[in-house]
């Protein structure tokens, strides 16, 4: 933020002293210099391309730079670059929104992540829309917007044809804190045996995400989803995920008991 403010302050003074035409010419010279001397410096080229109003060129460079920043776990930079890439309309807008939302979460910019997931919900249908809606609920809870996260969760349950949950479990900051320190669902990077059923796997994946969110508002309903997920993983032969369900049961037991041990 300080760097952007400093850059804008200097630019305003330069334009006042030299005129906008000469400042634009300087940006174009920077672009040529980077093209010749630093052809792989895409993230540096983006700002100058935007300054000369070359949105298409900036979006192309931003896409390349964002993936590199993401691989280096520079999530804040990656999120901003994905934002630039989204300024050029295209058929891959859903994938860019997904990548930007994940980068924003990596940078702990949860309110922006929730807004990005909401845009993806509007562009998606079926399972993709429900996944994005669940991700939005997670981002809202992580941003301490428990009311908004609860409402989005119930919207998702409606979409899935599942009963709604009340707020009789955790509430306020406790719900957000409990969710943020709890085990997060990560799909294990394991080879998928051909004997697995993709349909059973997808249903169990959805149930475990629902169970982890629902459990912080209604532990009983959360356990119901997790038991269904565990049974689905077991039928699909996904033993790593089956064991993960057992681990989540243990976590809920730990935070749900009032007696030590």
């Amino acid at each position: 933020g300080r760097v952007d403010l400093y850059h804008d302050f200097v630019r305003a003074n330069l334009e006042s002293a030299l005129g906008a035409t000469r400042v634009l010419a300087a940006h174009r010279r920077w672009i040529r210099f980077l093209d010749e001397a630093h052809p792989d410096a895409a993230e540096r080229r983006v700002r100058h391309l935007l300054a000369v109003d070359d949105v298409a060129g900036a979006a192309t460079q931003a896409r390349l730079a964002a993936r590199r920043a993401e691989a280096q776990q520079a999530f804040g930079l990656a999120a901003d670059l994905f934002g630039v890439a989204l300024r050029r309309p295209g058929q891959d807008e859903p994938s860019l929104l997904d990548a930007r939302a994940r980068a924003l979460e990596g940078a702990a910019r949860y309110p922006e992540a929730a807004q990005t997931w909401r845009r993806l919900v509007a562009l998606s249908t079926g399972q993709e829309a429900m996944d994005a809606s669940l991700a939005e609920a997670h981002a809202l809870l992580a941003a301490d917007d428990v009311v908004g996260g609860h409402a989005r969760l119930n919207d998702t349950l409606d979409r899935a044809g599942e009963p709604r949950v009340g707020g009789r479990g955790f509430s306020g900051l406790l719900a957000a804190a409990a969710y943020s320190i709890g085990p997060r669902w990560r799909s294990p990077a394991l080879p998928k045996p051909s004997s697995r059923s993709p349909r059973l796997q997808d249903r169990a994946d959805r149930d475990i995400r629902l169970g982890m969110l629902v459990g912080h508002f209604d532990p009983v309903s959360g356990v119901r989803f997790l038991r269904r997920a565990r049974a689905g993983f077991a039928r699909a032969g996904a033993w790593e995920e089956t064991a993960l369900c057992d681990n989540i049961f243990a976590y809920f037991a730990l935070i749900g008991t009032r007696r030590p041990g």
Side-chain angles (χ1 to χ4, degrees):
R2 288 192 298 271
V3 170
D4 285 341
L5 176 64
Y6 178 75
H7 179 274
D8 292 342
F9 176 78
V10 170
R11 180 188 173 111
N13 279 274
L14 282 173
E15 288 186 346
S16 174
L18 303 177
T21 300
R22 293 184 68 185
V23 173
L24 286 174
H27 279 293
R28 292 191 178 95
R29 290 187 67 181
W30 262 108
I31 294 169
R32 289 197 299 272
F33 168 74
L34 292 171
D35 287 343
E36 296 169 1
H38 301 280
D40 58 344
E43 64 279 358
R44 295 178 61 190
R45 198 176 288 107
V46 169
R47 181 192 293 276
H48 299 293
L49 289 166
L50 288 175
V52 300
D53 203 27
D54 184 358
V55 175
T60 300
Q61 293 293 314
R63 186 193 304 265
L64 299 173
R67 294 298 183 188
R68 186 160 54 226
E70 187 180 43
Q72 296 171 351
Q73 297 188 352
F75 296 117
L77 176 60
D80 292 338
L81 289 167
F82 279 126
V84 174
L86 280 162
R87 293 175 63 175
R88 183 181 185 182
Q91 294 182 341
D92 58 348
E93 184 177 1
S95 64
L96 288 174
L97 285 170
D98 182 90
R100 174 170 162 75
R102 293 179 190 279
L104 286 166
E105 289 187 343
R109 289 159 56 180
Y110 295 111
E112 293 175 81
Q115 294 172 4
T116 306
W117 287 121
R118 175 99 297 250
R119 288 178 60 187
L120 185 56
V121 170
L123 291 177
S124 305
T125 58
Q127 183 65 44
E128 289 76 15
M130 192 160 63
D131 288 344
S133 186
L134 280 174
E136 182 189 2
H138 161 267
L140 288 167
L141 284 176
D144 197 23
D145 182 358
V146 178
V147 174
H150 184 220
R152 180 57 58 221
L153 174 59
N154 275 330
D155 289 345
T156 309
L157 291 169
D158 287 343
R159 190 190 301 267
E162 302 284 357
R164 288 182 156 229
V165 293
R168 62 181 182 273
F170 299 112
S171 61
L173 180 61
L174 181 58
Y179 187 78
S180 66
I181 65 174
R184 302 286 182 86
W185 169 244
R186 297 278 195 277
S187 182
L190 299 174
K192 306 295 184 182
S194 58
S195 60
R196 288 190 181 182
S197 165
R199 185 183 62 81
L200 287 174
Q201 180 88 13
D202 290 344
R203 175 65 182 269
D205 283 342
R206 188 196 72 182
D207 284 342
I208 198 171
R209 289 195 297 272
L210 282 169
M212 289 176 67
L213 273 171
V214 167
H216 293 295
F217 294 100
D218 185 343
V220 174
S221 293
V223 169
R224 175 171 60 84
F225 280 113
L226 289 168
R227 289 185 64 190
R228 196 166 74 185
R230 189 189 190 283
F233 285 133
R235 287 196 302 272
W239 303 115
E240 179 92 359
E241 294 91 330
T242 304
L244 176 61
C245 290
D246 290 334
N247 183 60
I248 298 171
F249 285 139
Y251 168 71
F252 281 153
L254 177 65
I255 66 171
T257 183
R258 295 185 179 183
R259 293 184 300 170

